């Protein structure tokens, strides 16, 4: 959910964009893992071919078995991990939107998943099935601050992004706006 979710006066449709895996931190870690893994692989190859392939240090001084071999294996494992991270970013896992439409009387929750038969995750239900907007706050080592939509006959549906918790002010504002828009109570504050 974006921080600037405001409902225009007289609007009957509220759309909230949900940020998926295309975050700065994911780009950062995918790049760092790629660079580190490439360095390890080049160090392992340098020790095998006895030709320096690195700019920073001379890896020809490493004995291939076991140091060069292990560094090469770490490099391959790191490149596989980096490839996974870049694919997750490319597929934008978890990204999508929440659409609340008073004109049609429908609520649509959409997220992108892993490629395959179930890549598009869509949940549609009538607005009258919405019972409340629930705020979930857990502080401590692993804090969690999220909004959930409580729906008749279903589990609570998460409305906010996974990862960085929202600020309390942002969470309260978004929860109150959504509850007011849907005409349901706000729980958990």
């Amino acid at each position: 959910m974006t921080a600037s979710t405001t409902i225009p006066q007289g609007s009957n449709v509220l759309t909230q964009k949900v940020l998926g895996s295309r975050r700065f931190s994911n780009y950062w870690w995918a790049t760092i893992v790629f660079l580190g893994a490439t360095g390890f692989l080049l160090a392992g190859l340098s020790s095998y071919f006895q030709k320096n392939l690195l700019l920073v240090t001379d890896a020809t001084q490493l004995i291939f078995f076991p140091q060069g071999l292990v560094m090469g294996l770490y490099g391959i494992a790191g490149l596989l991990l980096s490839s996974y991270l870049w694919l997750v970013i490319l597929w934008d896992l978890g990204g999508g939107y929440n659409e609340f439409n008073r004109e049609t009387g429908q609520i649509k929750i959409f997220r992108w998943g892993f490629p395959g038969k179930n890549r598009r995750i869509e949940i549609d239900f009538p607005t009258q099935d919405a019972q409340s907007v629930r705020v979930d706050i857990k502080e401590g080592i692993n804090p969690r601050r999220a909004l959930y939509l409580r729906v008749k006959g279903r589990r609570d549906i998460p409305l906010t992004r996974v990862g960085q918790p929202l600020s309390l002010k942002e969470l309260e504002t978004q929860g109150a706006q959504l509850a007011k828009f849907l005409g349901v109570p706000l729980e958990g504050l």
Side-chain angles (χ1 to χ4, degrees):
M1 221 147 78
T2 60
S4 61
T5 304
T6 56
I7 305 164
Q9 200 68 301
S11 175
N12 287 324
V13 179
L14 172 63
T15 304
Q16 301 168 329
K17 187 175 181 338
V18 177
L19 183 64
S21 60
R22 291 184 181 165
R23 289 181 254 174
F24 174 76
S25 63
N26 288 351
Y27 284 105
W28 169 260
W29 286 114
T31 302
I32 294 298
V33 169
F34 175 76
L35 293 175
T38 302
F40 271 89
L41 184 62
L42 289 176
L45 291 173
S46 293
S47 73
Y48 180 74
F49 292 118
Q50 289 299 306
K51 182 173 178 6
N52 191 22
L53 301 173
L54 292 171
L55 301 173
V56 192
T57 186
D58 184 16
T60 59
Q61 303 300 318
L62 293 173
I63 301 168
F64 178 69
F65 188 78
Q67 290 97 347
L69 180 65
V70 170
M71 290 186 83
L73 292 175
Y74 281 156
I76 290 169
L79 287 174
L80 290 173
L81 176 61
S82 174
S83 299
Y84 170 75
L85 292 173
W86 283 110
L87 285 172
V88 164
I89 291 168
L90 176 72
W91 294 327
D92 194 22
L93 294 182
Y97 62 89
N98 306 323
E99 183 180 273
F100 307 94
N101 192 331
R102 286 193 285 207
E103 291 174 1
T104 62
Q106 287 292 111
I107 296 175
K108 181 177 186 174
I109 310 295
F110 176 82
R111 300 289 186 274
W112 287 111
F114 283 100
K117 187 173 72 171
N118 298 325
R119 170 125 167 84
R120 298 173 57 91
I121 302 166
E122 294 183 68
I123 303 172
D124 293 311
F125 51 91
T127 54
Q128 60 262 26
D129 285 357
Q131 293 179 320
S132 65
V133 175
R134 184 173 66 87
V135 177
D136 184 26
I137 299 172
K138 179 186 162 218
E139 299 297 335
I141 295 173
N142 190 14
R144 181 179 61 221
R145 296 183 197 131
L147 286 178
Y148 292 88
L149 186 62
R150 185 161 283 164
V151 182
K152 291 179 193 170
R154 293 180 185 248
R155 293 175 22 189
D156 291 355
I157 299 170
L159 299 175
T160 52
R161 67 180 185 244
V162 176
Q164 274 182 309
L166 299 169
S167 69
L168 289 174
K169 180 182 176 187
E170 198 175 353
L171 193 68
E172 286 176 6
T173 304
Q174 290 177 3
Q177 284 179 343
L178 182 58
K180 182 179 177 185
F181 183 82
L182 294 174
V184 295
L186 179 64
E187 297 177 350
L189 287 179

